[in-house]
Amino acid sequence: MGVAGKRMTIWIWVLIVFAVCLSWKISAEDNVRTERISGSAGDVLEDDPVGRLKVYVYELPSKYNKKLLQKDPRCLTHMFAAEIFMHRFLLSSPVRTLDPEEADWFYTPIYTTCDLTPTGLPLPFKSPRMMRSAIQLISTNWPYWNRTEGADHFFVVPHDFGACFHYQEEKAIERGILPLLQRATLVQTFGQRNHVCLNEGSITIPPYAPPQKMKAHLIRPDTPRSIFVYFRGLFYDVNNDPEGGYYARGARAAVWENFKNNNLFDISTDHPTMYYEDMQRAIFCLCPLGWAPWSPRLVEAVVFGCIPVIIADDIVLPFADAIPWEEIGVFVEEDDVPKLDSILTSIPVEVILRKQRLLANPSMKRAMLFPQPAQPGDAFHQILNGLARKLPHEKSIYLKPGKAILNWTVGPVGDLKPW
C-alpha cells in the first residue's frame, strides 16, 4: 500500500471512530434508540396470525419424526432444525385444529434432515423416499390430500436447496423439486429467484440459530463497534472445489484475495470462541453465498445488530414481505466484491446509524428466531402470517373426483424405492 493509500486508510478510520462514538452516544443516552418502518414491510412483522387460519397436524408414525430425533439429538441444534421446532410449536399452537374439516392448511411433520453423518452433516439422499412414503400414508388414510393433491398442504423442507433434496446445486437442479410436492406450499430456507428449486408461493424462512446460545453471548449494548467489516468462514472449499472457481461462485475467494491485508477488514477462516461477541463489535458483517445463497450469518448479524452485507445475486430473503431488508442491510453484487472497501466506506454515517437503529428494533430480531417457548412475532408466527396471507384458497385448487395432476412414477429411480 502506497503513502496515499495509507493516508486514505487513516482518514477512513477517523470517520469510523466518529461514527462509532456517535452510535455509542445515542445508545448510552437513549438506552439504544430504535426505529421502525411504516408500510408493508415492517408493519406486518407485528401481525397476529391467531384467528386468521386453522392448521391440521397429521399424526404420523414416530419413524418419520420422533424416532429420528431420539436416534440423533444433534438434529436439535443444526441449522435445519426449524422442521423439528415448527412441529413442536404447532402441536400446542392456538391455530391448531383437531377437526380436519375446518382446516385451512394441513401439515405433515417429517424430519427429512435428521439423518446425520458422524460429523453432523445431514444426508439428503433418503429424504425423497421418506417424503414419498409419508405422502402415500396421508393420501391413503385421510381424504384431504386427494382433494387438492397437496395444494392446501405445507411442508417444512430446510435442506440446502429445499425440496430438491441435495446439497450440491448441480445435482439439486438435475433432480428438481420432488414431483409430489409441486402443488404444495414449501416452507424452506433456500430462496433464489428464477431457480428450479424454488416454487412460486414458497415461504422463505431463516435457518435455525440457537436463541439461548446467542443470548448467553450478549455484551453491553453500549459497547463501541470498533470493527469495520467482520467475517469468519471458508473462502475456499478445497475438498469439494479443488480448483477454487465454483464455491460461492468465486465471491468468497475474491473477498480474501482483495482484502486479506486491508486494515478495515477483520476476516479469517478461524472461528474464535468470541465469534458472537466480535459480531456485536462490528459495524458490517459479510453474508456471502457459499454452496447455497444463504447461511446462519444472516440471522446472527440481525440478532447482534451488525449490518448484514448480503453478497448473493438473486437471493430471496427470509420473510421478505415483512422484513425491510433494503433498509437494514447492504446489497453488493458478486462481481462488485473487489470494490467492497469503497462501497462500504462511501455509505454516509447517517445511513449507517439509521440501519443500526432499525436493527435495534426487537421485532427484527424476534422475526429471525425460533425461540422455546414461542414469542409473538417470532419466526413461527411469521410462517403462519405467510400462510394466512395465502388465504382464501382459490376454488381452482380443488380437483374433481378421480382427477389427477401429479405423477407418482416420475423421478430418479433411487427416489422411487420404498422407505
Side-chain angles (χ1 to χ4, degrees), residues 193 298 307-317 323-334 336 340 343-344 347 355:
R193 285 182 289 273
L298 189 67
I307 298 169
V309 180
I310 299 160
I311 307 169
D313 295 353
D314 299 322
I315 189 172
V316 176
L317 288 159
I323 296 176
W325 289 107
E326 293 286 346
E327 303 284 348
I328 65 176
V330 174
F331 291 79
V332 176
E333 295 288 327
E334 293 165 24
D336 289 338
L340 255 178
I343 291 172
L344 297 179
I347 299 175
K355 290 181 185 294

Side-chain angles (χ1 to χ4, degrees), residues 72 96 101 112 132 177 198 247 264 337 341 367 390 401 405:
D72 201 332
R96 183 189 182 191
E101 293 296 334
T112 56
R132 282 175 56 86
I177 294 174
L198 182 70
Y247 178 60
L264 298 181
V337 166
D341 52 350
K390 292 167 72 69
I405 296 176

